[in-house]
Amino acid sequence: MVGISYPLGAPASQVTWRDGKRYLWLLGLVLPAFPFAAWGLAAATGYGIFWWLLLPVVFGVIPLVDLLVGKDSDNPPDSVLAWLESDRYYRWCTYLFLPLQYAGLVLACWLWSRGGLSAVDKAGLTVTIGIVAGFGINTAHELGHKKDALERVLARIALAQTCYGHFYIEHNRGHHVRVATPEDPASSRLGQSFWAFLPRSVYGSARSGWHLEKQRLGRLGKSPWSPHNDVLSAWAMSAALFTVLTAAFGPGVLPYLAVQAVIGFCLLEVVNYLEHYGLLRQKTPSGRYERCTPQHSWNSDDIASNIFLYHLQRHSDHHANPTRRYQALRHFEESPQLPTGYAGMILLAVVPPLWRRVMNPRLLAHYEGDVTRANIHPRTRGKVLARHGSR
């Protein structure tokens, strides 16, 4: 997937690395264009099944391509990381996601409100918009970690559709500090199903984001109930968006807007669930947690999922270097590896017996059979230790 070339006129010692996936990153823009594709195909054929098309593409086609194409574990050499991150082409691959995301949302509101679609068709369109919104949160994740003020603003805009603007605060200043510890609501535990994890992460992340902002404003001598609170301003942005859409298309669009938002942030949370499942940072003699290492994130180098998720699956390097841009993230051999990409793992996560059968043995193998080194769910701790503790 990679090659080496020399820039014209450069000395032989100056080597330029060529990203073999450079133009594949544009495929990330296919997903937010799906509402338009569904509309065109449904109108051309008269078949309402096309409103549901994105669902089997994301959870059928992409996992299949992951299995057929395989993995890419090549890393860019350290000597080209600065050059690679400065290439603005990669930034535009993420910037362009947002206008497509919101154009699709406006189209959906128009279709929901104008009539002509059956209840099943509207449901399919809602699911499609919700999936796009979930991928929009991933785009916001990539942009929100950057130092550039424009990218941070774009991240907040991308999050407005799912009413999840607090993620911008909690993820950067909460999750990245507490990752792979029992204190982190976004780090799932051994023995904890996704359905038990979901309410804890949703509520805990919102509460954590509010608490972090309250602390920050307290240090500045300001009240949390003020325009300076980034959580309140993020929620206000969502309220303004929904108000404008309701004013333009009528109150009938509100139920669909609410459902697509829930679908979007549930996609985020199921990804949170699988990224650190059961992994635990040990405490040092000082009582503090050890530094986060590549062994505290589940990784995957499956190509298709990584293309559509902007290398999110190289999660260990992301935690080691949060501001590093997606195209420069590296694979670590010592990281625990998922059996397939995120799209396929999501299907396992929503079926807890299948998830446990696949992931619990991998987690135990990662800790060489010592289950006491894992982050165990308190409610199932006795059961887990009784079953695996003797190992």
Side-chain angles (χ1 to χ4, degrees), residues 33 47 52 62 68 74 81 85 97 99 117 121 141 168 233 266 269 318 328 355 373 381:
Y47 293 120
W52 296 86
I62 292 178
L68 293 176
D74 289 320
L81 289 180
E85 292 206 48
F97 189 101
L117 294 184
D121 293 344
H141 169 262
Y168 170 83
S233 63
C266 283
E269 295 298 356
H318 167 68
W355 174 266
R373 294 166 58 190
R381 186 174 186 85

Side-chain angles (χ1 to χ4, degrees), residues 34-53 107 110-111 114-118 121 125:
F34 251 85
F36 297 94
W39 181 34
L41 289 169
T45 65
Y47 293 120
I49 191 67
F50 287 110
W51 296 112
W52 296 86
L53 184 59
L107 171 67
W110 179 69
L111 290 168
R114 66 186 286 267
L117 294 184
S118 69
D121 293 344
L125 176 58

Side-chain angles (χ1 to χ4, degrees), residues 196-225:
F197 167 82
L198 179 61
R200 176 177 183 261
S201 187
V202 171
Y203 172 72
S205 296
R207 183 180 64 177
S208 174
W210 177 267
H211 180 68
L212 289 167
E213 270 300 274
K214 184 178 180 180
Q215 283 186 325
R216 181 183 72 86
L217 293 170
R219 290 191 296 268
L220 298 174
K222 296 179 180 178
S223 168
W225 299 99

